């Protein structure tokens, strides 16, 4: 064999070796369900989104250094960041993905995943992110008309021209992601933002009025859907006949959900990433009417309509800006459904809201995200932003090393949690053979006088075995008592270890005893602490 032929064969063999030595592409992110609980699979394993969302106008390359500084300070693993229709399609049919490409490239550099927010037909009920060429043509892309015949600042969901334009642009985005994001840096996409309308419960345009006076779509006329909407089970009828005083609101919800569902279905047909929508909430108690909140979006009372009208949407997620724990906890209950994975895409950036990260985990949630993590281009806010991020950053820093474990425990239903309410009352957690008793306030020492300022205390318990638990918390004190056949019996701590997870294994830093576990049990101060606790009945 001559030397040249030998060299050629060697190069071919080297090429083959290198080809098979390339890392296998990560699998497509997807959501799975088991016994009514859900998990987001990333690289084939449950993944917990420790999220943070940038301000609305911060996703431009010149603004991103501030965002990445905030992301690093927050210890997040997933950045939620908008992409803008007006930037992606500045001229009809001409697409520019340079900003999308920058976001993906920078996320990879920072070793962070992305959730992209498609700001398109709706952003907070308005069309302000539509391209200029659409804004200039109000006749072709009209707004909702109120009962007085006046336009309101919200796009009509009943106009085919607007829908077709959004479908074309969104499928272009999804096609670009399919081609360029083979590493699956982008985990999910939010379709629109807080859709619905302010200023009119529904669209009263001639086109919409004709639809409203027609028959309710057959998909909504099943006994199960009608019962979920508190409507009588009938075979047919107009919106008014079937739904009475809720007809306007339900029609608007169907119109918006059907529109977004078609956009989502078209995009998912190109590239089947998980897709979700977010909800501007209504008051969760008292069943208020839609003239008190943004009508048409995925509020709790119309979730049955959204599930039927938009099956390509995987998640309807609540944006948590309510100011009382009973309301927030009720909302989380309402959105934790067998047919709806729990994901909180936005939470107000206040210290009290950090505790709901624990609540979401206890409900088997797949992620949590405070909104507005960067200083929004105002230099004077930088120090303030660091301070405001701190309560969330502490929780993420503690959770990050055990992220996969938390995701698996949440999916398996092993996590329970309590959060401090405004009355600072003691709370209990039923753990089967044991009851955890939780007292809030102070620095976590049982023999110290409680100090109440903000209701920020919280405790999370993951059950590893009948008598063994992983516990994480702040500003509370924990004790136990046996239940069931062992109720009333003497017991003690077999071992209380403080530590952290590394590569899926708990690493003990020290064994707590004496002052650290007397007075009934361990206390948790202002910084989250992770403990592994083993109990025994004597």
């Amino acid at each position: 064999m001559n030397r040249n032929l030998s060299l050629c064969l060697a190069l071919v063999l080297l090429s083959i070796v290198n080809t098979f030595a390339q890392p296998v592409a990560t699998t497509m992110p997807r959501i799975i369900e088991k016994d009514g609980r859900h998990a987001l699979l990333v690289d084939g394993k449950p993944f917990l989104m420790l999220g943070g969302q940038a301000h609305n106008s911060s996703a431009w390359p010149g603004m991103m250094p501030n965002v990445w500084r905030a992301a690093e300070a927050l210890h997040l693993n997933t950045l939620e960041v908008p992409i803008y229709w007006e930037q992606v399609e500045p001229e009809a049919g001409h697409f520019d993905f340079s900003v999308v490409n920058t976001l993906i490239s920078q996320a990879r550099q920072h070793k962070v995943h992305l959730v992209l927010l498609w700001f398109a037909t709706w952003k907070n009920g308005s069309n302000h992110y539509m391209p200029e060429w659409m804004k200039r043509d109000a006749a072709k892309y009209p707004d909702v008309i109120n009962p007085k015949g006046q336009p309101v600042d919200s796009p009509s969901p009943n106009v085919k021209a607007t829908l077709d334009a959004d479908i074309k642009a969104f499928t272009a985005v999804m096609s670009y992601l399919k081609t360029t994001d083979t590493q699956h840096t982008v985990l999910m996409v939010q379709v629109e933002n807080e859709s619905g309308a302010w200023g009119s419960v529904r669209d009263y345009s001639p086109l919409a009025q004709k639809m409203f006076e027609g028959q309710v779509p057959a998909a909504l006329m099943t006994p199960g859907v009608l019962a979920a909407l508190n409507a009588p089970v009938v075979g047919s009828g107009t919106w008014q006949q079937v739904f009475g005083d809720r007809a306007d609101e339900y029609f608007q919800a169907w119109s918006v959900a059907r529109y977004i569902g078609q956009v989502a279905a078209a995009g998912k047909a190109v590239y089947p990433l998980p897709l979700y929508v977010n909800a501007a909430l209504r008051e969760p108690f008292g069943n208020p009417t839609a003239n008190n909140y943004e009508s048409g979006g995925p509020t709790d009372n119309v979730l049955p309509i959204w599930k039927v009208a938009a099956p390509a949407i995987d998640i309807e997620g609540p944006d948590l800006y309510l100011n009382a724990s009973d309301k927030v906890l009720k909302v989380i209950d309402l959105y934790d459904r067998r047919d709806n994975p729990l994901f909180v895409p936005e939470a107000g950036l206040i210290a009290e809201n950090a505790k709901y990260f624990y609540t979401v985990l206890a409900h088997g949630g797949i992620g949590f995200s405070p909104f507005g993590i960067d200083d929004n281009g105002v230099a004077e806010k930088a120090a303030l932003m660091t301070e405001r991020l701190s309560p969330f950053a502490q929780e993420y820093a503690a959770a990050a090393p055990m992220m996969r474990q938390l995701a698996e425990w949440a999916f398996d239903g092993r996590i329970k949690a309590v959060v401090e309410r405004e009355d600072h009352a003691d709370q209990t957690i039923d753990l089967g053979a044991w009851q955890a008793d939780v007292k809030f306030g102070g620095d976590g020492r049982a023999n110290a006088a409680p100090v109440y300022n903000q209701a920020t205390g919280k405790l999370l318990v993951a059950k590893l075995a009948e008598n063994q638990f992983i516990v994480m918390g702040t500003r509370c004190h924990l004790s136990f008592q046996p239940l069931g056949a062992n109720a009333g019996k003497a017991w003690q701590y077999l071992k209380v270890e403080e530590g952290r997870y590394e590569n899926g294994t708990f690493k003990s830093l020290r064994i707590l005893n004496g002052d650290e576990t007397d007075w009934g049990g361990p206390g948790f101060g202002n910084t989250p602490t992770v403990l592994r606790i083993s109990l025994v009945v004597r």
Side-chain angles (χ1 to χ4, degrees):
M1 183 178 296
N2 65 46
R3 187 165 178 255
N4 289 338
L5 181 57
S6 298
L7 179 60
C8 288
L9 287 174
L11 290 174
V12 169
L13 288 172
L14 180 62
S15 175
I16 293 172
V17 170
N18 285 339
T19 297
F20 284 98
Q22 296 300 315
V24 178
T26 55
T27 57
M28 173 78 71
R30 63 189 181 98
I31 295 171
I32 61 172
E33 182 267 341
K34 178 181 68 176
D35 300 328
R37 296 186 298 272
H38 304 87
L40 171 65
L41 298 187
V42 176
D43 297 332
K45 299 177 182 178
F47 182 89
L48 175 62
M49 285 186 284
L50 308 176
Q53 186 171 147
H55 277 288
N56 295 162
S57 300
S58 294
W60 298 91
M63 300 294 294
M64 287 304 295
N66 292 337
V67 175
W68 291 121
R69 280 193 289 270
E72 183 177 354
L74 189 55
H75 305 286
L76 56 71
N77 63 21
T78 306
L79 175 67
E80 295 179 23
V81 62
I83 56 174
Y84 314 116
W85 191 1
E86 62 183 349
Q87 186 277 324
V88 167
E89 193 179 9
E91 298 179 26
H94 296 278
F95 296 101
D96 176 3
F97 298 112
S98 58
V99 170
V100 178
N101 185 64
T102 296
L103 294 173
I104 294 173
S105 175
Q106 291 185 1
R108 290 172 182 167
Q109 293 170 17
H110 289 271
K111 296 180 172 55
V112 166
H113 283 287
L114 292 177
V115 170
L116 298 181
L117 319 178
W118 177 233
F119 283 11
T121 299
W122 283 275
K123 167 65 176 77
N124 293 11
S126 299
N127 66 356
H128 298 169
Y129 286 88
M130 278 185 180
E132 292 181 16
W133 53 270
M134 295 182 71
K135 293 176 182 176
R136 291 193 181 100
D137 196 347
K140 187 174 182 179
Y141 310 107
D143 284 337
V144 163
I145 301 299
N146 69 16
K148 297 180 181 180
Q150 303 164 328
V152 300
D153 187 20
S154 185
S156 172
N158 302 301
V159 177
K160 189 175 186 300
T162 314
L163 172 62
D164 288 345
D166 200 334
I167 286 175
K168 183 178 180 181
F170 186 65
T171 54
V173 169
M174 297 300 281
S175 179
Y176 182 79
L177 293 179
K178 179 181 180 180
T179 302
T180 61
D181 188 26
T182 56
Q183 298 179 34
H184 300 302
T185 300
V186 179
L187 299 182
M188 297 200 304
V189 177
Q190 176 183 291
V191 189
E192 318 298 341
N193 181 273
E194 292 190 353
S195 58
W198 296 99
S200 185
V201 173
R202 68 171 174 89
D203 187 4
Y204 289 85
S205 68
L207 172 63
Q209 189 61 30
K210 182 178 179 180
M211 297 168 67
F212 179 76
E213 292 170 357
Q215 296 290 297
V216 174
L220 293 181
M221 297 300 292
T222 67
V225 173
L226 292 172
L229 294 171
N230 298 311
V233 177
V234 294
S236 62
T238 67
W239 288 89
Q240 194 69 56
Q241 289 170 342
V242 175
F243 296 118
D245 60 359
R246 292 282 174 168
D248 291 340
E249 178 181 0
Y250 289 177
F251 173 75
Q252 175 74 355
W254 170 265
S255 300
V256 174
R258 182 66 177 155
Y259 180 114
I260 294 176
Q262 292 178 76
V263 174
K268 185 172 280 189
V270 172
Y271 185 49
L273 276 180
L275 304 177
Y276 76 96
V277 292
N278 61 332
L281 300 176
R282 67 177 195 153
E283 287 288 315
F285 298 108
N287 196 25
T289 55
N291 56 330
N292 293 289
Y293 54 91
E294 191 174 8
S295 180
T299 50
D300 65 270
N301 57 321
V302 295
L303 288 178
I305 294 175
W306 272 81
K307 290 299 179 184
V308 170
I313 295 294
D314 299 284
I315 304 171
E316 282 82 14
D319 289 350
L320 297 181
Y321 294 99
L322 301 173
N323 58 4
S325 58
D326 61 334
K327 294 180 181 180
V328 173
L329 296 172
K330 178 63 174 178
V331 164
I332 290 173
D333 282 337
L334 290 169
Y335 282 82
D336 176 17
R337 297 163 47 114
R338 178 175 288 270
D339 62 356
N340 193 62
L342 180 62
F343 171 51
V344 175
E346 295 184 33
L349 196 64
I350 58 175
E352 291 91 335
N353 281 347
K355 63 190 176 187
Y356 300 119
F357 170 56
Y358 286 24
T359 308
V360 169
L361 278 172
H363 280 257
I366 66 171
F368 184 87
S369 177
F371 169 78
I373 64 170
D374 58 292
D375 60 21
N376 206 18
V378 182
E380 291 77 8
K381 287 185 177 181
L384 176 61
M385 290 308 301
T386 300
E387 180 181 340
R388 295 181 70 187
L389 288 174
S390 179
F392 300 88
Q394 291 186 143
E395 298 302 332
Y396 284 6
M402 51 194 298
M403 179 272 289
R404 292 288 188 179
Q405 284 70 39
L406 289 169
E408 290 174 0
W409 295 334
F411 185 45
D412 290 339
R414 291 176 175 269
I415 295 178
K416 294 191 177 183
V418 289
V419 298
E420 185 177 6
R421 303 196 184 197
E422 287 77 10
D423 62 1
H424 313 289
D426 299 348
Q427 296 186 48
T428 62
I429 303 175
D430 187 342
L431 298 168
W434 296 90
Q435 176 177 293
D437 299 320
V438 186
K439 296 180 180 294
F440 295 102
D443 62 0
R445 292 177 297 148
N447 57 343
V451 178
Y452 301 124
N453 39 40
Q454 297 172 304
T456 59
K458 52 198 170 295
L459 188 85
L460 175 151
V461 182
K463 185 175 180 179
L464 303 184
E466 184 174 82
N467 301 317
Q468 188 178 63
F469 310 93
I470 291 292
V471 182
M472 183 165 69
T474 63
R475 293 183 60 80
C476 66
H477 179 264
L478 172 66
S479 187
F480 291 88
Q481 56 179 303
L483 297 178
N486 290 324
K489 292 184 179 180
W491 68 279
Q492 70 181 87
Y493 293 100
L494 192 62
K495 185 185 290 186
V496 178
E497 301 168 90
E498 181 181 338
R500 58 184 279 124
Y501 270 79
E502 295 179 9
N503 300 319
T505 303
F506 181 82
K507 302 292 186 180
S508 181
L509 171 66
R510 60 173 175 164
I511 296 177
L512 301 183
N513 220 320
D515 290 343
E516 284 71 46
T517 56
D518 288 344
W519 313 100
F524 297 82
N526 294 320
T527 302
T529 303
V530 179
L531 305 179
R532 182 167 65 181
I533 297 177
S534 299
L535 307 172
V536 64
V537 174
R538 294 181 61 82

